[in-house]
Amino acid sequence: MNILSASYLLAMTHDFPVLPHGAVAVEGSVIKDVGTKEELQERYPNAKPLHFENHVLMPGLVNAHCQLDLIGFYESILGNKDLFEPQHYVETLIASMHYRNKLDVQEAMDVAKTALSRLANTGTTTVGAMTCKEASLKLLADSKLRVMAYPEIVLGQGEKAQENFEIAMALAERYSEMQLSRMKTGVGPYAPYLLSRNTLRMLSLFCRNMKLPLQIHAAEAFAEMEFFFDSEGPMLKLFEHMGWQQPSPQHKTPIQYLADIGFLDAPVCIVGCLHLSEKDLPLMARHLTQVVYSPITNLVMGHGTLPLAKLRDAGIPIGLGSQLWNGKSGLSLWTEMREALRQGSDPLPSASELLRMATVGGARALGLEQECGTLEMGKQADIIAVKLPEACSEKNLSEQLIQHTEDTDISYASVAGDVLKHTGDTC
C-alpha cells in the first residue's frame, strides 16, 4: 500500500472539496482510503509514503473528446499560427474530410502516439477518443491511459457509407468483447448531417443491443441549425463539394431530429449543444444526454456561446474536451479551462465548476463515473499531483490552478495506480 499526500487534496466530491494536508491510500489499482496525511499514516503505519510538498492531489483530468485522426490536420493548418486564430468552419470541415480520406496507417499511428504523450504530460488520465483507424485503437488499448474509444463514422453515401458503417460496427464489437481493463468502446458517428436517417437509426439500435455509448457532434454551429430547418446556409457548400444530393428541409433542430428518429434512445454524449431551442433541453434531459464543451474549438470555429445556465438548470452533465493542435499547444484541458474563464458560455463558469467539468463531469459524459473523476474509496487510483502556484490559498486554489498550471507543473500522474509521470518532486 502507498499513501500519497500533499499540501492540499481536491477530491472533487461534495463532502470536502478542499482538504489541507490531504492524502490518499492506494492499494493495487484502487483507492483504499481518503483523509488527512496524519489520519492515514495512523491507520496504515506500514504503508509506503509519497509526499508532494507545495502540491495539490486531485483526480486525473478527463478529456471527454478528442479526434486522434485530425491531430496532423490541425498541425498542417495551425502549425505556424496562433492556436486561437479564427478558421472558417465549413471550409475546415471539408478540408478535414479530405485529410481523413488520405490518412495512411503509419501517419495515423504517429500522430496518435504524439497525442497520447501530450495528454499524459498535461495531467489527463482519461480520454474519450474518436478514430476511424484500427491501428489507433490498438495504440489506445496498449496505452496506460483510461480510454473510452469511439470508432468513428465520418462520411459517405451509398457503398462508402455502408463500408464505413460496417467497419465501425466490427471494431466496436471486437474491442468491446475484449473486456479490456482500461479501455471501453462505443461508436462515434461524426455528425447527423453526414449520415442518413436509416444509418443513424441502425447505429442507435446496435448500441442499445450491445450496451455501448454513442458520441456525436450536434447543434455545434448555427449553420447546422439553418441546414436542418430550411436546408439552407453555408452547410450546403459541403454537400455541393462532395457531390451529394441536397436533402429536404427537416423543419426541426438537430436535437429534435435525433430524438425523432430514436437516436437518443441509446446512451448519447453530444459534442456541441451551443444552439438549442427551449424544446431541446427537456428532450436531452429525458434521454439522459451528456454534453462535451470544447471552448477553444468553439472560439476558433466561430460556433457561438454555450448556454451553460440552461444546461445546468436542466440537470445535463457537462464535460470538457479539446480538439485543436498546433504542435506547441493543444489537447490541454488547462488551456481550455483558462479560455473558458474568459469567454465562451452564458454565464461564465466559476473556476471550481470548470475543474468539476474537467474531472467528474468528463467521467459522467463518458459513462465512467464509477471508475474515475473523483478521489473516493473504491474508485480507481487515477491521481495527479500539481504544483501549487505562488500566492495560492485554500480560497483561491481552483482559480490559481487553472490560471497558472502548465505541463511542467504536473509532477505525478497515475492510472489505476500505474505511474504515467513522476518528475521526482517528492519528499
Side-chain angles (χ1 to χ4, degrees), residues 158-209:
E159 292 182 2
K160 183 65 175 176
Q162 184 174 346
E163 179 184 350
N164 290 340
F165 176 85
E166 291 174 353
I167 290 173
M169 295 304 95
L171 289 174
E173 192 167 3
R174 184 187 314 159
Y175 278 88
S176 64
E177 288 176 351
M178 289 181 185
Q179 296 185 337
L180 300 168
S181 61
R182 295 186 193 173
M183 186 171 108
K184 294 186 177 179
T185 310
V187 182
Y190 183 82
Y193 50 83
L194 292 179
L195 296 164
S196 71
R197 176 190 298 257
N198 286 337
T199 300
L200 290 168
R201 277 197 187 118
M202 287 189 291
L203 281 172
S204 180
L205 181 60
F206 172 84
C207 287
R208 275 179 278 163
N209 291 337

Side-chain angles (χ1 to χ4, degrees), residues 107-125:
E107 184 179 0
M109 291 180 66
D110 290 343
V111 297
K113 288 177 183 177
T114 301
L116 293 174
S117 175
R118 169 71 174 164
L119 289 165
N121 206 36
T122 58
T124 292
T125 56

